[in-house]
Amino acid sequence: MNLLKVIAAAVILSFIISIIGSIMAYTPYLDREPDVYYPTIVESFIYGVIYFTPVLIILSVGSFVVYSSLRKNRRLPKWVKVIVSLGVAIGLGIIISSALSEESQTNDIYLIPEGYEGDVFVFYNVKGAPEVEKEDGYEVHKINEKGYYATRTKDLDYGTVTDKYFYVNDKGHRTPIDHKCVSTFGTGGTTLEDNIDGTTLEDNIDITYTGFKLRKNNCSEVFSMEAQNEDGYVQMINDILKKYYNMEPQLF
């Protein structure tokens, strides 16, 4: 029962820290840079809970186990037991924090034809497509006029979203796109083992993708957080199958 109380206290403390941290980390609109993504208070709170809850639970359980073991030793003063337990908790905290601080980031740049709005997708593991180019630690995705980019790179990057979005004109000039104009779809995939006529493919097709809906006007934090329908996905996949695999449309 005591252990359950310790875990409950750790969860409550995580919520309190996350609430305070999300409020303190919030950046007012007037102080924001035009091409930098700033999370909302709700997003920061969720990230905080995800980060702090497991850490505090592990620390509290570790400290509880050590203190419970030391309680059997009657020769040690109570203050020594407390200090040793806290020392173990602090040591575990340093190790866990160091590991979590090395989490991966997405680091993607999306270059989108000027004036385009609608669904934008990047398809990975596409046979014969170009490799993703690098630019200052970011992977560059050059979206075509149909709203997608295909690459033979095996898979997308996962982790904290640090993506940048730009409109590009015919002279190559980039104009930053506000993150409030972007609503992400998440990730998905398409696997094909047979042709539409039932014949077996020589090599299976296993394409993964990520994407987002882009609008030019009426951008807002509400739009950026809303779930969106993936309207153009099927047409883009069929276009890729025809271009890179010489196949007739497989999805309808």
Side-chain angles (χ1 to χ4, degrees):
M1 186 63 179
N2 288 334
L3 179 58
L4 293 178
K5 290 182 179 179
V6 169
I7 294 175
V11 173
I12 293 172
L13 180 59
S14 171
F15 274 69
I16 294 173
I17 293 175
S18 299
I19 291 172
I20 296 174
S22 61
I23 294 174
M24 294 180 63
Y26 181 75
T27 303
Y29 289 109
L30 296 178
D31 297 334
R32 298 184 179 187
E33 298 292 334
D35 58 345
V36 178
Y37 177 68
Y38 295 90
T40 64
I41 291 179
V42 174
E43 288 176 317
S44 296
F45 172 73
I46 294 173
Y47 297 152
V49 170
I50 293 174
Y51 180 92
F52 287 112
T53 300
V55 173
L56 291 176
I57 289 177
I58 292 174
L59 296 183
S60 60
V61 171
S63 181
F64 178 82
V65 170
V66 172
Y67 183 76
S68 298
S69 300
L70 293 177
R71 286 182 62 185
K72 299 176 183 179
N73 191 331
R74 298 181 179 179
R75 291 179 293 179
L76 288 176
K78 185 176 181 179
W79 65 269
V80 173
K81 299 174 184 178
V82 172
I83 291 177
V84 172
S85 301
L86 290 176
V88 171
I90 293 172
L92 285 173
I94 293 173
I95 294 173
I96 295 172
S97 297
S98 298
L100 291 177
S101 64
E102 298 176 357
E103 64 181 17
S104 59
Q105 299 177 327
T106 54
N107 286 358
D108 290 324
I109 290 177
Y110 295 90
L111 303 181
I112 302 161
E114 189 173 45
Y116 179 90
E117 66 177 340
D119 288 359
V120 176
F121 282 94
V122 176
F123 297 95
Y124 296 83
N125 199 32
V126 177
K127 183 179 179 181
E131 285 279 0
V132 171
E133 297 178 6
K134 297 279 188 176
E135 179 182 303
D136 298 328
Y138 281 75
E139 293 187 345
V140 180
H141 303 82
K142 299 178 180 179
I143 308 302
N144 62 21
E145 68 283 353
K146 295 182 179 180
Y148 73 85
Y149 174 74
T151 174
R152 66 171 175 266
T153 301
K154 293 296 182 182
D155 202 358
L156 61 155
D157 295 321
Y158 299 92
T160 303
V161 177
T162 53
D163 299 342
K164 298 180 181 181
Y165 309 88
F166 298 92
Y167 275 127
V168 182
N169 63 17
D170 53 4
K171 296 182 179 180
H173 176 72
R174 299 182 184 182
T175 302
I177 298 174
D178 194 312
H179 282 78
K180 294 194 292 292
C181 297
V182 175
S183 181
T184 58
F185 295 139
T187 61
T190 295
T191 300
L192 296 175
E193 298 179 357
D194 302 307
N195 278 301
I196 195 171
D197 59 6
T199 58
T200 302
L201 295 174
E202 191 172 316
D203 295 310
N204 291 347
I205 297 174
D206 189 11
I207 298 173
T208 57
Y209 66 82
T210 186
F212 54 88
K213 189 173 290 289
L214 174 66
R215 64 166 51 166
K216 295 185 293 183
N217 303 309
N218 301 318
C219 303
S220 66
E221 289 193 13
V222 174
F223 169 74
S224 68
M225 296 294 292
E226 284 179 341
Q228 304 291 334
N229 294 324
E230 302 175 8
D231 301 323
Y233 163 74
V234 172
Q235 180 58 46
M236 293 178 186
I237 281 286
N238 284 332
D239 192 60
I240 288 172
L241 293 176
K242 182 177 181 180
K243 181 177 180 179
Y244 294 101
Y245 297 92
N246 195 29
M247 296 174 61
E248 293 301 316
Q250 302 291 308
L251 304 179
F252 299 94

